Amino acid sequence: MDHITFLVAVVIVTALAFDFTNGFHDTANAMATSIATGALKPRTAVLVSGVLNIVGAFLSTEVAKTVSGGIVDDTLVSPGMIFAGLVGAILWNLLTWLVGLPSSSSHALFGGLIGAVWVGAGSHGVHFDKVVEKILIPAVASPLVAGAAALLATYFAYRITARAREKSVTKGFRLGQIASASLVSLAHGTNDAQKTMGVITLTLISAGALGHDAGPPVWVIASAGLAIGLGTYLGGWRIIRTMGKGLTDIQSPQGFAAEAASTTVILTSAHLGFALSTTQVCSGGILGAGLGRRLAEVRWGTAGRMVIAWLVTLPAAALVGGVSASVVKHGGNLGTAVIALVAVAVATSIVLASRRNPVHATNVNDTHEVTVRATTPTHVGTAA
């Protein structure tokens, strides 16, 4: 315990704060389609998802090892760099949540960490070959694979049930959605909770509390699982609205197909240690399901904004992480305090801005758009 300095403790708390934002930012991955089709009530959906996220955190540690000893050189990393990277990730998560964009929490974390280590330790501190192999290639391939699988599954689901009663088909697929959405939640915990485990493990290694190439201790696994589970239970309703209503008009067979395809891709990648974005996988699955149903409306404007956010996420978080690392590196404890205060101020302003037009469990399905500012009512009257 002598290795757990005040800075290390701050980094661990910040990592769990990121994990918490990851939870409510990514709840939509598992439950948006089930909420949109009525398979699950909103509050029930986020409770089930939160519990299964916690369970999933205990199923594997391969992705955690990729983060703690794969993309950066753990011998050159300091707790201050990790703190700076986490600041970039948290602020990007909150900003994209505010505007309802399902960007990648994973890429926000990796971008923040890469930018901070690059500035703090030099370019040789980042294993760019691993970044390409474990992050960039899966980022391109995974949504395409999930989308293609969901498209085919949706097509065959409608072909097989073409002569069945619509009411029976809807009821059957809604039941199937409960199972498939639960599996996505389990897979999300298996994949995304591990990233925070990896960051905390990397912090402990850099502080000398763990040996190089060590895996996450049990208390790290448990705390990361609990943090992402609690965040998931909050709902992240703004992004749920976008993924459930904003991309396409989802029916029960499509929701089941999208969730089943996404689960398969996420669990396979987690087993192989690929730190992919569950957001991109699930978004690809939903788009594929939209394309798989004849005459279904796909809102390409929303899809285009999402793709732009995906492309910008890693470099934007890297920029914030790099700037934060520079301040921490040259300012020491004072620099760390300044970055912490600025981050809290920005996060608070984002949360306050979200209250101008809130999205919650009772209105999440009312429309497919997320706005930041409440609309001003138009009054008709005579001039004075």
Side-chain angles (χ1 to χ4, degrees), residues 230-254:
L230 288 174
T232 300
Y233 180 67
L234 273 187
W237 304 109
R238 305 176 79 82
I239 297 176
I240 289 176
R241 173 180 285 180
T242 298
M243 289 188 72
K245 292 290 185 178
L247 284 174
T248 185
D249 296 318
I250 287 286
Q251 296 180 353
S252 297
Q254 294 168 281

Side-chain angles (χ1 to χ4, degrees), residues 2-317:
D2 294 338
H3 297 282
I4 307 298
T5 63
F6 177 73
L7 179 57
V8 171
V10 169
V11 175
I12 291 173
V13 171
T14 307
L16 294 175
F18 164 78
D19 206 23
F20 183 80
T21 67
N22 191 352
F24 73 74
H25 194 280
D26 289 4
T27 309
N29 296 346
M31 292 299 174
T33 57
S34 294
I35 292 171
T37 63
L40 285 169
K41 294 182 178 179
R43 284 294 180 190
T44 302
V46 295
L47 176 60
V48 170
S49 187
V51 171
L52 290 174
N53 264 265
I54 297 173
V55 175
F58 288 88
L59 296 183
S60 173
T61 59
E62 291 303 315
V63 174
K65 293 175 183 176
T66 296
V67 176
S68 64
I71 63 174
V72 295
D73 187 342
D74 58 22
T75 63
L76 300 177
V77 175
S78 69
M81 296 177 202
I82 299 172
F83 171 75
L86 287 167
V87 167
I90 290 172
L91 293 183
W92 184 256
N93 265 0
L94 290 175
L95 180 61
T96 50
W97 162 77
L98 174 66
V99 297
L101 273 179
S103 69
S104 171
S105 296
S106 304
H107 290 177
L109 175 61
F110 298 141
L113 190 59
I114 290 168
V117 173
W118 195 340
V119 169
S123 59
H124 57 283
V126 181
H127 296 153
F128 289 102
D129 56 334
K130 292 294 184 182
V131 172
V132 172
E133 176 190 352
K134 298 288 189 178
I135 298 174
L136 297 184
I137 291 177
V140 175
S142 59
L144 296 177
V145 172
L151 188 155
L152 291 173
T154 300
Y155 173 77
F156 285 114
Y158 280 103
R159 284 293 298 272
I160 292 169
T161 60
R163 297 184 179 182
R165 293 174 56 195
E166 183 178 349
K167 186 175 181 180
S168 299
V169 171
T170 299
K171 182 178 180 181
F173 276 109
R174 281 183 176 177
L175 291 174
Q177 272 195 277
I178 296 173
S180 59
S182 297
L183 285 174
V184 175
S185 297
L186 193 69
H188 184 261
T190 303
N191 192 277
D192 278 41
Q194 287 191 58
K195 292 158 191 171
T196 299
M197 295 177 209
V199 169
I200 296 175
T201 302
L202 180 61
T203 303
L204 296 173
I205 291 173
S206 69
L210 291 175
H212 296 297
D213 299 323
V218 174
W219 70 266
V220 172
I221 297 173
S223 59
L226 183 61
I228 200 170
L230 288 174
T232 300
Y233 180 67
L234 273 187
W237 304 109
R238 305 176 79 82
I239 297 176
I240 289 176
R241 173 180 285 180
T242 298
M243 289 188 72
K245 292 290 185 178
L247 284 174
T248 185
D249 296 318
I250 287 286
Q251 296 180 353
S252 297
Q254 294 168 281
F256 176 77
E259 291 159 0
S262 299
T263 301
T264 303
V265 172
I266 294 168
L267 287 178
T268 301
S269 298
H271 177 70
L272 296 173
F274 292 134
L276 53 71
S277 165
T278 55
T279 300
Q280 292 182 2
V281 172
C282 294
S283 299
I286 292 172
L287 281 173
L291 293 171
R293 178 167 69 90
R294 189 167 64 91
L295 301 180
E297 179 187 2
V298 176
R299 299 183 180 92
W300 292 110
T302 301
R305 289 193 295 272
M306 284 172 48
V307 171
I308 292 173
W310 293 353
L311 295 174
V312 171
T313 292
L314 198 148

Side-chain angles (χ1 to χ4, degrees), residues 80 83-85 87-88 319-329 335 339:
F83 171 75
V87 167
L319 178 62
V320 177
V323 171
S324 301
S326 180
V327 175
V328 171
K329 181 179 179 179
I339 291 298

